[in-house]
Amino acid sequence: MRDAQPDRQRVMCVAGIIDMVTSFGWDRNRPTEWSLADLLAVLARHEVERAYTHSWRAVQYAGPEGNDETLCACEEHEVLRPVAVLDPRRYFDCREEARRRVRQGFRVFRFFPDVQGWSVEALPFRKICATLGELGAAAIVPAGASGQPTRIAERTADLGLKVLLIGGGYSIIGEILALLEDFPHVYTDGHVMDSPFAIEAIIEFGGEHRPIFGSNSPDRAFEAPLLVAQHAEISDAQRAKYLRGNALAFLGEEA
């Protein structure tokens, strides 16, 4: 797998990157703000075909209002697709919020247990995910610390819900790969390990359809996962799947 010498310009030959992980707005936990203009500039610079995004307002203090803000931004900018944030602490209206957003065209939902201070083992998370499965939606959840990826995979395994784990690090490399072997509904962002041969390992343990491109722009540098794709010792077809085709499959569209 590591014998080939990849052409460092191959990645530029892929027509239309689909970025599954972006955001905009003010994160009140950090002294920074990422404007919608900042995000759009990054996407334009890299000729991104479409980017799935959410407003940080939906994460921090006003879920439904923040989801409204996300929808407005996406209606104004063709490159953007809306991602709704669901907070299980609002269980009293969370499932109806999911249904309403699906009626508005949302297909992807994000959770923030670490930021919002709740556990993926809590029953509301599973019941909300069951609703998403019934609606034919998909979920994005942070991998978190050791053990959390396994709990997420186990809690969602029988719900008919595809789950994209994002933001993992060195300490959970083995756990992510083991999950890819045993839980076919789990996917991961391609730079989950942020290390050499990350894409190759994901493909080896989970199959070529499991790594999905997510830049986490503009919070993180868009170039980081792009460089992973550029240097990965994989075929051109696998590279194209990572940058575009796997996202389409995750969303239930034809690649």
Side-chain angles (χ1 to χ4, degrees):
M1 182 170 59
R2 301 182 182 179
D3 294 335
Q5 295 298 317
D7 179 353
R8 295 184 179 182
Q9 299 304 316
R10 281 180 186 171
V11 67
M12 306 309 295
C13 297
V14 176
I17 293 172
I18 296 178
D19 191 341
M20 288 299 302
V21 187
T22 73
S23 61
F24 64 93
W26 175 55
D27 181 352
R28 70 181 182 184
N29 292 323
R30 292 179 286 177
T32 187
E33 179 176 0
W34 305 283
S35 72
L36 183 58
D38 292 335
L39 172 60
L40 292 170
V42 171
L43 301 177
R45 185 161 63 249
H46 294 282
E47 300 181 347
V48 173
E49 176 183 324
R50 64 171 111 154
Y52 287 78
T53 197
H54 70 85
S55 164
W56 273 93
R57 184 181 182 190
V59 180
Q60 300 287 9
Y61 45 89
E65 292 85 353
N67 291 334
D68 287 339
E69 185 173 77
T70 297
L71 181 60
C72 288
C74 293
E75 288 176 340
E76 293 175 3
H77 301 281
E78 186 178 359
V79 68
L80 301 179
R81 299 293 187 278
V83 176
V85 175
L86 297 178
D87 183 350
R89 296 175 301 176
R90 295 180 56 109
Y91 182 71
F92 56 89
D93 68 353
C94 209
R95 289 182 292 178
E96 180 52 39
E97 172 72 358
R99 296 185 186 100
R100 182 164 70 97
R101 297 306 173 181
V102 167
R103 290 194 296 269
Q104 293 175 330
F106 288 71
R107 301 175 61 191
V108 182
F109 293 79
R110 281 193 69 167
F111 293 93
F112 290 84
D114 302 328
V115 175
Q116 295 171 341
W118 52 269
S119 171
V120 298
E121 294 182 288
L123 184 57
F125 172 65
R126 174 173 165 79
K127 296 188 77 169
I128 294 165
C129 285
T131 297
L132 295 182
E134 293 168 0
L135 293 170
I140 300 177
V141 191
S146 177
Q148 179 162 297
T150 298
R151 290 189 289 272
I152 293 168
E154 291 175 342
R155 298 287 280 171
T156 58
D158 60 342
L159 303 180
L161 177 69
K162 292 179 180 178
V163 176
L164 174 60
L165 294 176
I166 63 171
Y170 292 108
S171 64
I172 59 171
I173 289 175
E175 185 175 0
I176 293 289
L177 297 180
L179 290 177
L180 293 176
E181 284 186 316
D182 288 359
F183 293 91
H185 73 294
V186 172
Y187 298 72
T188 184
D189 56 339
H191 64 306
V192 61
M193 304 167 197
D194 200 19
S195 62
F197 307 112
I199 302 295
E200 294 91 326
I202 293 169
I203 290 174
E204 179 179 347
F205 285 85
E208 62 183 17
H209 63 293
R210 304 295 276 287
I212 290 178
F213 184 86
S215 70
N216 203 15
S217 294
D219 183 15
R220 301 292 178 88
F222 187 95
E223 291 78 8
L226 198 61
L227 285 171
V228 170
Q230 192 173 41
H231 291 275
E233 296 180 4
I234 56 179
S235 69
D236 287 346
Q238 290 170 333
R239 203 181 317 277
K241 285 185 176 182
Y242 166 52
L243 293 171
R244 186 176 186 276
N246 289 349
L248 292 175
F250 179 74
L251 295 164
E253 300 180 23
E254 291 293 332

